Amino acid sequence: MNKPNQISPPRWSLKFFRWFCHPDYAEDIEGDLFERFEKRTIENRAAKWLFTLDVLKLFRPGIIKPITGSQKLNNYDMFKNYFKIGLRNIRRHKTFSSLNIAGLSVGIASCILILIYVNNELSYDTYNSNYETTYRVIHYYGQQGEAPDYTSLPTNEYQVWGNAPVAPAMQQFFPEIDKVFRFTSDASWLFSYNSITYSESDVLFADSTAFDIFDWKVIAGNPKTALERPNTVVLTPRLAEKYFGSENPMGKSIIMDNQDPFEVTGVVEVPTNSHFSFNGLISMSTFRNSRPQIFDSWGYVDFYTYFTLKPGTSIEQVQEKVPEFLEANFPNDFNYHIKFEPLSDAYLHSEAGRQPGPVGSMGSIYIFTSVALFILLIACINFMNLSTAQSVERAKEVAIRKTIGSHREALIYQFLVEAILVTFIASILAAVFVIFGHSLLETISGKTLPIDWLFTPQNALLALGGILFIGIAAGSYPAFALSTFKPVTVLKGSFKTSSKGIWLRKSLVILQFSLSIILLAGAAVVSSQLDYLQKYDLGFDSEQMLAVDFGYDDLVQQKREFIKQEFLKHKDVEIVSVSRAVPGDFFPNAGTGVADPVSGEIVYKGPAIYEVDEDFIPAYKMNMVAGRNFSDDFPLDSANALILNESAARLFGYPNPADIIGKSFRQWGREGKVVGVVEDFNYVSLHEDVEPLSLRFGTRFNVSTISVKLKSDDFSKTIAELENIWQGIVPHRPFDTRFVDQNFNAQYESDERFGMIFTTFSGLAIFVACLGLFGLTIYSTSQRNKEIGVRKVMGASITQIIALLSRDFLTLFIIALAISVPLSWYVMNSWLDGFAYRISLGVEVYAVSALITLLVAFITMSFKTVNAALSNPIESLRDE
């Protein structure tokens, strides 16, 4: 067609045209294209570009060739017809459609709700712009005589709680560090404004660099100066509204602990996904003015230290210089080391002790993600099973459509469109479930779970893709299986499904049974462990023990003996004790020296410390295993007596508690003798073993809690009467009370919430699985309809018929049990490893779980098997 030396049109454009153009029109259109091109080459240099443009304009409906002889890519009417038929089938088969939609909607909604929770757990601290470059210092406080290899020392030997001077020393020593920030452990303060007075917890001292490290939302105040001056305080919106209502709090004064006025210099809001939170921040300069000596003490522990790196530097550069830093700054009188933990590890990955707030668990994240996938997988399996169950009814439909010329591809498209349509309807219903279930999930989890991130264009595309994926994945097997039916076989009435299809369905049922047993056994293990924690003998009695927190109030401490005596006069009070902390409370560690059992020299260790009075051990019914308790008969006990627990005695080298009695000790400015050893009791969570503990007499300024043992049946009345006594003695201080057992059990709140979430979604997963089992029961009874009729005519009883229909499922259940038990044991045993005191995984857990699963399965199947067994055999044996 082209002459020599003549310019030719673009080759790739011509190939593209010949590829897509309908053969009936290709020759004529191509001739026209060449004619226009030749005219343009005479006077237009852009002829090739114009040729390509003409080809692209021709790529439109009506000209594109069909993919097959009966289908066209652009056939809108074809897909419209698919949707019409799909909607008709959904309406016609109401039972199956309802089961499909219910199963998918519950599965999708459960999956989304779990992902909302998981996304929130993974989002902790990511609101900070310095998230990737922020680290915190973790500290190792070793025992005397140790020579550990710090390079291989595990993180769980360190703690986040540390000293004050490490922060400025690091700022000066490391040029890689940009900003350093410290805050103290939380404390209770008395807030007074006009006539309003409350005791507020979670109030921290904080450096003025707080806002350089953390991107908290500043509602009022200047973040650069808010925490610079002494006697200034920054409040959260809740406290600002509590004391000032609609007034502007800026510049107003709050009286703290009935002493000094503190100026409100800011209002900030801490995101809910922060690994620590607070109600108020007091300037660190306030703390420095009151106790300047501790800011130079490397042994005084009450601070958390965070820092950011300068651009272009790495944490490895800083860590390499740590030995040099400690040698230059640290007075080497005991084993001490530091290393650095990324902010990204603080919530989910930290193993260090003494965290500033609650921590999450990657194990829980993995478990919940698995449950979400399990539920979605079970829902998709249900879809396959229920669609397969319809195959008997739809076999003739497929056969007739094939007979009148319908291609297999068209049938596949038809069934896939139906599956996607069902998935779309289920997704709409799932969205409704998510909206209503979100608030319930927040209540169960005890967390604020934002969902605004769901409503983004990216997630809208993901949702559309998810609907298509689930629809195609769930509908693929029914589509391809139903489209292979042979019309002649079906219309003759001798239609049977293939053995491959039977084994696939059986495999899916085994998978459903396995997942159900795993989830049910997991829920049983979680419930049993939580029950075990509640009933475990802690080594002390906290029942009906009321704790009154007075926050180290000086006036209360002056009158503590008088308060004790007045409380004891009440008929419903058994005993009263005063202490620094009670089991479940925050406590410090104390550098404590005790005479070595061999050399007699004082050897220092770092046990925890309780400061108590002579009534503390009797009040909590603790057992003395050696020596004696503090006593009024020994007036010098307040200055030179120490009691240890069994673990502390072993720590100092005395496996026999009696051998340590009378040994010399030194602790926090006191010297004297060890007078007693108390039996180990669990003063911390059962996640941990009993740690070494020292108990010394708590003098004025060192106690903050009054424990009151009640013997009343009417707690409200008794507490009200005790409050009247309190107000008569120290009217300036609110009567802030809590029950010790409830306070101690609050340590397991996250475990209990984990259990509730896990059990709830496990129940939903089993419910969805039952829908699929019901569908497969319908399918199997439909396939064996005539067999059931023949057996009934031959004299089979209803019981025999039900047993016949259930026998196959029992075999599948046994196979599933063999698969699920080892998997469940491994997962739940790993979860239980997080508890120092735990249940043992016995056979009874899996026996009960298997029995419940089997019982639920038989109840589910009975709705159809009993109906089939009671049916009239004439109906099934009638020749059609």
Side-chain angles (χ1 to χ4, degrees), residues 454-469:
L454 286 174
F455 306 105
T456 61
Q458 295 89 336
N459 283 332
L461 291 175
L462 283 175
L464 182 61
I467 290 172
L468 292 174
F469 175 78

Side-chain angles (χ1 to χ4, degrees), residues 441-699:
L441 181 61
E442 286 189 321
T443 301
I444 295 175
S445 66
K447 296 175 180 283
T448 300
L449 305 174
I451 59 173
D452 54 326
W453 58 273
L454 286 174
F455 306 105
T456 61
Q458 295 89 336
N459 283 332
L461 291 175
L462 283 175
L464 182 61
I467 290 172
L468 292 174
F469 175 78
I470 294 173
I472 292 172
S476 58
Y477 171 71
F480 285 94
L482 292 172
S483 63
T484 56
F485 291 166
K486 294 181 179 180
V488 176
T489 304
V490 174
L491 295 175
K492 280 183 176 180
S494 56
F495 158 69
K496 291 183 179 179
T497 55
S498 67
S499 59
K500 291 182 179 179
I502 293 173
W503 277 110
L504 176 61
R505 287 188 293 277
K506 286 184 176 181
S507 300
L508 294 178
V509 172
I510 291 172
L511 181 57
Q512 280 191 325
F513 272 135
S514 299
L515 296 179
S516 299
I517 294 170
I518 289 173
L519 292 173
L520 194 59
V525 170
V526 171
S527 177
S528 298
Q529 175 63 17
L530 294 177
D531 185 61
Y532 176 80
L533 296 179
Q534 298 292 337
K535 296 179 179 178
Y536 185 82
D537 183 6
L538 299 171
F540 64 91
D541 180 18
S542 61
E543 188 176 355
Q544 297 188 353
M545 183 69 78
L546 186 72
V548 184
D549 185 358
F550 58 86
Y552 301 98
D553 189 301
D554 184 45
L555 293 176
V556 177
Q557 294 194 54
Q558 291 180 36
K559 299 181 179 181
R560 72 178 198 180
E561 291 301 323
F562 181 62
I563 294 172
K564 286 180 62 175
Q565 295 306 316
E566 290 301 304
F567 277 177
L568 285 170
K569 292 177 182 178
H570 194 284
K571 60 181 179 63
D572 292 327
V573 172
E574 183 177 331
I575 190 171
V576 182
S577 170
V578 181
S579 61
R580 178 170 184 159
V582 297
D585 277 354
F586 190 81
F587 57 88
N589 290 80
T592 305
V594 175
D596 183 78
V598 177
S599 67
E601 295 182 0
I602 297 294
V603 177
Y604 283 89
K605 307 292 183 182
I609 181 172
Y610 268 25
E611 298 191 72
V612 303
D613 67 1
E614 69 279 5
D615 294 314
F616 183 84
I617 290 176
Y620 284 91
K621 297 183 180 178
M622 299 171 183
N623 298 319
M624 298 296 298
V625 295
R628 63 175 177 83
N629 182 25
F630 299 122
S631 173
D632 291 334
D633 297 333
F634 299 88
L636 293 180
D637 277 358
S638 61
N640 61 13
L642 185 70
I643 295 175
L644 302 174
N645 70 349
E646 293 174 290
S647 295
R650 288 192 295 270
L651 178 67
F652 285 105
Y654 295 89
N656 181 10
D659 293 339
I660 202 172
I661 303 301
K663 299 297 181 182
S664 299
F665 82 90
R666 293 174 188 168
Q667 182 189 70
W668 281 5
R670 292 188 192 178
E671 295 184 18
K673 303 292 183 182
V674 176
V675 300
V677 177
V678 67
E679 185 179 21
D680 279 346
F681 63 95
N682 294 92
Y683 58 96
V684 293
S685 162
L686 293 177
H687 282 275
E688 304 170 24
D689 288 312
V690 177
E691 297 180 354
L693 175 69
S694 62
L695 299 93
R696 75 176 192 172
F697 200 91
T699 57

Side-chain angles (χ1 to χ4, degrees), residues 8 34 91 194 256 279 372 419 425 499 507 521 547 568 586 672 692 704 725 731 748 761-762 792 794 796 799 820 876:
S8 301
F34 269 95
R91 288 196 296 266
N194 290 340
M256 305 286 278
N279 286 321
I425 296 172
S499 59
S507 300
L568 285 170
F586 190 81
S704 64
I725 297 173
Y748 309 120
F761 285 105
S762 296
K792 290 192 71 174
M794 298 297 293
T799 303
S820 61
S876 59

